[in-house]
Amino acid sequence: MADFETPELTEIPVVPHIKEGVMADSKPYVAKADFQEALGFPGELVDNWEKVAVDKLGELKGKYRSLQVFLDSCVKCGACTDKCHYYLGTSDPKNMPVARQDLLRKVYRRHYTFAGKYFPKLVGAVDMTKEVLDDWYSYYHQCSQCRRCSVYCPYGIDTAEISMAAREIMDEIGVGQKYCNEIIAKVFKIGNNLGLPEPALADTLEGLEEEVEEDTGIPIKFPLDVKGADIMLVTPSADFFAEPHVDGLIGYAKVFHEAGASWTISSYASEAANFGMFIGSYENMRRVSRRIRKAAKDLGVKRIIFGECGHAWRVAYSFLNTLAGPWDFLDPNYPVPQHICEYTHDLIQQGKLKFDKSENDHMTLTFHDSCNVARASRMGDKPGGQFRIPREIIKATCNNFYDMPSDTIGEATFCCGGGGGLLTDDLMEIRVKGAMPRMQAYKTVVEDHGVTNVAAICAICKTQFAKVLPYYGFTMDQIISLHQLVGDALILSDAPSEATATESSEE
Amino acid sequence: MSALSVTYVLMFYLATALLVFGLVRKIVQYAQTPAPLKIPTTPAPVTKSGVVLRMASEVVLFNSLFKASKWTWLFGWMFHLALLLAFFRHLRYVISPDSFLWPLVNLEIVQSFGKYAGFAMIIGLLGLFGRRIFVDRVRYISSPSDYLMLLLILGIAVTGMMMSFVAHTDIVHLKEFILGLIYFNWQPVPTDPLLLIHLSLIIVLMIIFPISKLLHAPGVFFSPTRNQVDNPREVRHVAPWAAKLDAESDS
């Protein structure tokens, strides 16, 4: 399948011994000038890039307390060294969180600390050189910003913050990553990551309506740009046609339909994902976020609900109020934004959704906690709701459910291996190897409980699983959308209720 | 006074000045640097009192480290607790007997716990040192300064223990020297070599504290992943530099 070896899944998880430099050659393609410039970055490596990089580091540590505190506080205790899925899957020591941080920290020490200026060897400080930049480009694109390390660090040092800063510095000197930056440019130009323009999106949604009606005999709508709808659904654009994502979208539509909700998708903000976070660029993340604000105002909606997407939910839950708020023009009775799982869960609690669980009896499920949902956000009003709510939905819709081992779920969940802007074919080796710990945990429940499928609530996880499952002897269709379970088990009342989107869509 | 005493007096003042100035400078820097985004590692407390509890469990029990590695936690926690006990014991060298604190400091329990904590401290430090040597991952991330830091504190602990258990030093004159420093009424430093080494190493520790990884002590309190309340949907959080962006764009 590829020119690298898929890691073996051992009976018991093993922490490997270090093998230096084995992943040094893993590098994503560099962004072309057009895309760099669309994001406000120089098109190619600037002349005095060493100085620009060091200055940018100085600027960032003045803007982000996290960066300043994290660069100073690490004591090299080693608690994080066996926590990163990329280290466990590759054995490359620079994939240990602390070593990844040190790639930046050693430059910080050299230029911004007394010890590093006068005793560089003693504290491991180095100048900004081409070798350092190469290491940055390589290893800061082997971090999925999943925050697993930050759970275990005694000071809460989050390598995601460091890798975001490093990526921003690299963008600032003209060395951006093709995958992320092209996608962000597409969002600015067209409105979504896939570059799906409004007519194509309208077509796709119409096609879905026909398909679902054929399937269920009920005219379930997928409304687009309906002014005055109550709810605006913002979902990752992969939901519009990728498998298994689209089954999730069908699930959301069925839930809205059954609830009699008035809802719409916006073609202007037809993307929940926000890759501005991956590249650590507050400005770009803000610019992407504000499309949602504009769409909500233009459509005059009352609520915003996000579809299944991990990092999108982090940006939505944790940052949207900061980046694009205040949301005082929306209905104050609902949190802004809400997760589709919160919405479905509320309806289940109110007894408004009825399920025939046997529809899902051909599967035995487990659930993959997506990293950004697990460790960077919440659902519901209590801490940990992000773990409880999706599981309660699964249990309401399926008879057979088993969790993976406890040290691989919840706050300890392992990343799928494709997050943080790594979901690109030029990084396939690190994606496959980084998936090893998750695959190992999955294999455990497959063998112990006969699990046949894993449900997820993240577009990146779904795409990544579909790609890497076969490398580990599973099949790509074992990954499914959580709302596929909901959609398949939901008992639709015969007559659509009166307040559906179609009726309220008349302008 | 001898040149030796003058040197120690001056070095203590210099070290204290650098320690205080350096720490204040860093704490002010941490406090003044904005945290523009809500980034608590979740699940996180949804109230301020919850955050106080979370922070307390980190600072007192090293909760996250406990989750990460039982050995590192054991050695690290043992060392820090012993450090605290030794600190309490040492208060009797700087507090005069007419202070209201004296009866507390002079309690038998404070004194003997502080004395025997030295063993725990040394075991903890050796454990941490051993990890750096024997665990390949930890060896890989260790710089010379990481070993030297452990050796420095080990040196302080061992010389201190030797004065407690092997060769007693002249505590009365030491206390006169220390109180002399505090009240600017300088007294000669006792010339016991063990004590002089002990004091020298402490001076070094004080000087490097604010320019080294020992900044983890103030740093932990400013860590946004640990000290932020999980309430981004309820309360809009905007840093001053980010608010400027809002002012520039029409909402």
Side-chain angles (χ1 to χ4, degrees), chain A residues 54 57 102-112 124-128 132 136:
Chain A
V54 171
L57 171 58
D102 275 353
L103 297 175
L104 183 76
R105 188 177 283 117
K106 60 190 183 181
V107 176
Y108 162 73
R109 284 193 166 162
R110 181 74 180 112
H111 292 277
Y112 293 103
V126 301
D127 283 304
M128 188 72 212
V132 171
W136 281 21

Side-chain angles (χ1 to χ4, degrees), chain A residues 132-171:
Chain A
V132 171
L133 179 60
D134 285 348
D135 261 0
W136 281 21
Y137 197 73
S138 192
Y139 291 100
Y140 285 121
H141 291 112
Q142 297 185 47
C143 169
S144 58
Q145 307 176 338
C146 82
R147 317 188 88 204
R148 192 168 194 265
C149 47
S150 86
V151 170
Y152 298 99
C153 174
Y155 317 111
I157 298 174
D158 180 7
T159 312
E161 294 292 308
I162 311 281
S163 84
M164 287 169 188
R167 290 184 192 182
E168 188 169 15
I169 295 170
M170 289 190 283
D171 272 328

Side-chain angles (χ1 to χ4, degrees), chain B residues 78-139:
Chain B
M78 202 191 230
F79 160 67
H80 283 86
L81 180 68
L83 200 61
L84 186 71
L85 295 176
F87 170 78
F88 286 142
R89 172 174 160 89
H90 280 71
L91 284 177
R92 76 167 168 180
Y93 307 131
V94 298
I95 289 177
S96 66
D98 48 11
S99 160
F100 71 100
L101 284 171
W102 183 253
L104 265 178
V105 171
N106 208 33
L107 282 178
E108 181 58 28
I109 189 169
V110 171
Q111 289 306 313
S112 42
F113 265 88
K115 191 167 169 182
Y116 293 99
F119 291 104
M121 192 188 295
I122 288 171
I123 292 168
L125 287 167
L126 288 176
L128 293 172
F129 199 85
R131 270 185 67 79
R132 268 194 208 293
I133 294 172
F134 296 116
V135 180
D136 64 343
R137 304 188 310 277
V138 187
R139 188 167 63 234

Side-chain angles (χ1 to χ4, degrees), chain A residues 17-18 65 72 75-76 81 83 122 147 150 155-156 286 317 321-322 337 342 374-378 411, chain B residues 26 30 33-34 39 42 46 67-68 132 136-137 145 213 223 225-226 230 232-233 236-237 241 246 249:
Chain A
H17 285 293
I18 62 172
R65 181 187 298 160
D72 278 337
V75 300
K76 315 294 169 82
T81 55
K83 301 299 182 285
L122 189 69
R147 317 188 88 204
S150 86
Y155 317 111
R286 181 173 178 277
Y317 174 84
N321 199 6
T322 298
E342 294 181 307
R375 290 184 285 258
S377 74
R378 192 179 81 210
E411 70 169 3
Chain B
K26 286 311 278 194
Y30 294 159
T33 307
I39 59 166
T42 59
V46 295
K67 286 186 214 169
R132 268 194 208 293
D136 64 343
R137 304 188 310 277
S145 57
K213 66 177 184 179
S223 178
T225 57
R226 294 289 182 267
D230 176 18
R233 288 193 291 194
R236 186 157 187 251
H237 172 90
W241 64 261
D246 276 0
S249 66

Side-chain angles (χ1 to χ4, degrees), chain A residues 158-444:
Chain A
D158 180 7
T159 312
E161 294 292 308
I162 311 281
S163 84
M164 287 169 188
R167 290 184 192 182
E168 188 169 15
I169 295 170
M170 289 190 283
D171 272 328
E172 199 67 27
I173 60 172
V175 194
Q177 185 215 21
K178 176 174 183 259
Y179 174 68
C180 281
N181 292 5
E182 269 190 27
I183 278 180
I184 297 169
K186 257 187 254 174
V187 173
F188 291 151
K189 210 169 153 195
I190 298 164
N192 54 60
N193 284 10
L194 295 173
L196 199 66
E198 191 271 335
L201 182 55
D203 258 10
T204 308
L205 294 176
E206 263 174 49
L208 273 177
E209 284 180 2
E210 285 166 22
E211 192 186 305
V212 174
E213 185 161 1
E214 226 167 81
D215 208 36
T216 60
I218 297 169
I220 291 169
K221 297 295 169 196
F222 290 77
L224 182 66
D225 293 332
V226 177
K227 284 205 176 178
D230 286 344
I231 297 168
M232 179 170 80
L233 174 76
V234 184
T235 206
S237 54
D239 280 4
F240 298 130
F241 64 85
E243 282 288 348
H245 311 59
V246 69
D247 301 314
L249 177 62
I250 294 170
Y252 319 152
K254 286 183 178 171
V255 170
F256 285 135
H257 176 87
E258 187 59 23
S262 140
W263 69 288
T264 186
I265 290 165
S266 153
S267 62
Y268 179 75
S270 48
E271 181 60 72
N274 191 331
F275 281 25
M277 182 177 86
F278 295 157
I279 63 167
S281 166
Y282 190 97
E283 285 77 8
N284 279 292
M285 183 162 68
R286 181 173 178 277
R287 221 175 123 192
V288 174
S289 291
R290 293 186 82 83
R291 296 177 70 88
I292 294 169
R293 181 182 182 85
K294 182 169 177 342
K297 281 204 157 171
D298 289 351
L299 293 172
V301 296
K302 301 194 183 83
R303 302 166 66 177
I304 299 173
I305 295 183
F306 271 70
E308 297 179 359
C309 186
H311 85 282
W313 182 240
R314 179 181 193 186
V315 178
Y317 174 84
S318 295
F319 306 157
L320 207 64
N321 199 6
T322 298
L323 298 168
W327 296 101
D328 42 12
F329 58 92
L330 298 178
D331 186 341
N333 293 314
Y334 300 97
V336 183
Q338 271 186 299
H339 195 284
I340 187 70
C341 285
E342 294 181 307
Y343 180 74
T344 299
H345 187 256
D346 278 351
L347 291 171
I348 295 174
Q349 298 285 300
Q350 294 164 25
K352 289 189 179 159
L353 303 179
K354 297 277 176 279
F355 298 100
D356 175 6
K357 292 194 199 184
S358 67
E359 288 290 333
N360 288 320
D361 273 355
H362 60 290
M363 291 184 282
T364 300
L365 270 303
T366 192
F367 179 67
H368 165 70
D369 287 297
S370 296
C371 46
N372 274 300
V373 177
R375 290 184 285 258
S377 74
R378 192 179 81 210
M379 289 180 202
D381 50 12
K382 289 188 194 70
Q386 66 269 39
F387 310 131
R388 191 173 47 82
I389 288 174
R391 283 174 174 78
E392 285 184 9
I393 296 175
I394 295 178
K395 286 172 186 166
T397 56
C398 305
N399 284 312
N400 315 314
F401 172 77
Y402 296 94
D403 255 322
M404 286 183 271
S406 61
D407 54 346
T408 71
I409 58 167
E411 70 169 3
T413 189
F414 277 111
C415 167
C416 63
L422 309 192
L423 194 76
T424 168
D425 285 349
D426 41 324
L427 291 174
M428 194 50 75
E429 180 177 358
I430 190 70
R431 283 172 57 189
V432 170
K433 291 182 172 174
M436 187 278 281
R438 175 40 81 219
M439 292 296 125
Q440 193 156 44
Y442 181 57
K443 190 178 173 213
T444 307

